[in-house]
Amino acid sequence: LRIGRSIRQAREASRDVFVGLIDGLAAAGRPAAVLFDGKILDVLHETRDGWHFGQARLQSLTDPADLMTIEVQNEYLVARRNGAVVALMPDLISVLDRETGEPLTSERLSYGQRVKVVGCAADPLLRRPESLEVLGPHRFGIAEDFRPVEDLVELRRAAAA
């Protein structure tokens, strides 16, 4: 509800919906940031054993050499910018339409879409060692140890009261 309210209020005030989203997440104690702004260059989709596997390649709208890849297994698992990990499950990776802020599920990604990728810190319970055994990157075949998104990139945090 809080996320939807933040986006709706930003729209009603003619503010950038991504600023509203990031501010709303930060106010809820969930640091977040726009990790990438660009267009989809290529998407691979494959269904195996009831799972949607895929990869999306994105290119910056301002620098053609600035690239992002996102790996998918039903959900967005890992985002890499120019080869460096910028977000990793169980932290949240979301791909949103860059004009409306509407979320795009992995199955809806297609060539040419203009998108922004948002990274958000997961609930602390999901980051505990016992949770990472079930929800962490190794469980999904990713050869990376979990690192919090806020350790990988600069995230917007709520101002200390």
Side-chain angles (χ1 to χ4, degrees):
L1 286 172
R2 185 175 294 189
I3 290 170
R5 186 177 304 117
S6 298
I7 292 171
R8 180 182 47 79
Q9 289 172 344
R11 284 182 183 148
E12 289 171 353
S14 298
R15 290 181 46 226
D16 182 317
V17 295
F18 292 94
V19 171
L21 173 62
I22 301 303
D23 288 348
L25 288 166
R30 303 285 291 279
V34 173
L35 303 175
F36 199 79
D37 183 6
K39 64 183 176 183
I40 298 178
L41 286 181
D42 188 32
V43 181
L44 301 172
H45 296 282
E46 178 183 357
T47 302
R48 270 186 281 135
D49 301 322
W51 294 92
H52 171 244
F53 289 87
Q55 184 183 70
R57 284 188 328 117
L58 292 73
Q59 180 181 51
S60 169
L61 296 176
T62 57
D63 178 0
D66 189 10
L67 302 170
M68 174 172 272
T69 59
I70 302 173
E71 292 180 35
V72 172
Q73 183 178 338
N74 280 21
E75 305 293 335
Y76 302 113
L77 302 180
V78 59
R80 293 182 177 90
R81 188 169 188 169
N82 301 315
V85 173
V86 293
L88 191 60
M89 63 178 316
D91 284 341
L92 303 177
I93 302 165
S94 299
V95 179
L96 302 107
D97 180 278
R98 82 179 303 270
E99 300 302 320
T100 66
E102 292 296 316
L104 300 169
T105 61
S106 57
E107 296 88 2
R108 291 185 51 209
L109 299 182
S110 63
Y111 171 80
Q113 287 174 311
R114 266 69 174 155
V115 299
K116 290 190 181 188
V117 179
V118 173
C120 176
D123 185 281
L125 287 174
L126 298 176
R127 292 171 157 194
R128 295 172 54 173
E130 56 272 25
S131 297
L132 291 174
E133 288 179 24
V134 177
L135 301 170
H138 294 283
R139 181 74 168 177
F140 292 85
I142 297 169
E144 299 276 348
D145 290 331
F146 172 73
R147 289 172 286 159
V149 65
E150 62 270 25
D151 291 350
L152 297 168
V153 296
E154 180 79 22
L155 295 186
R156 173 77 200 287
R157 299 174 190 272

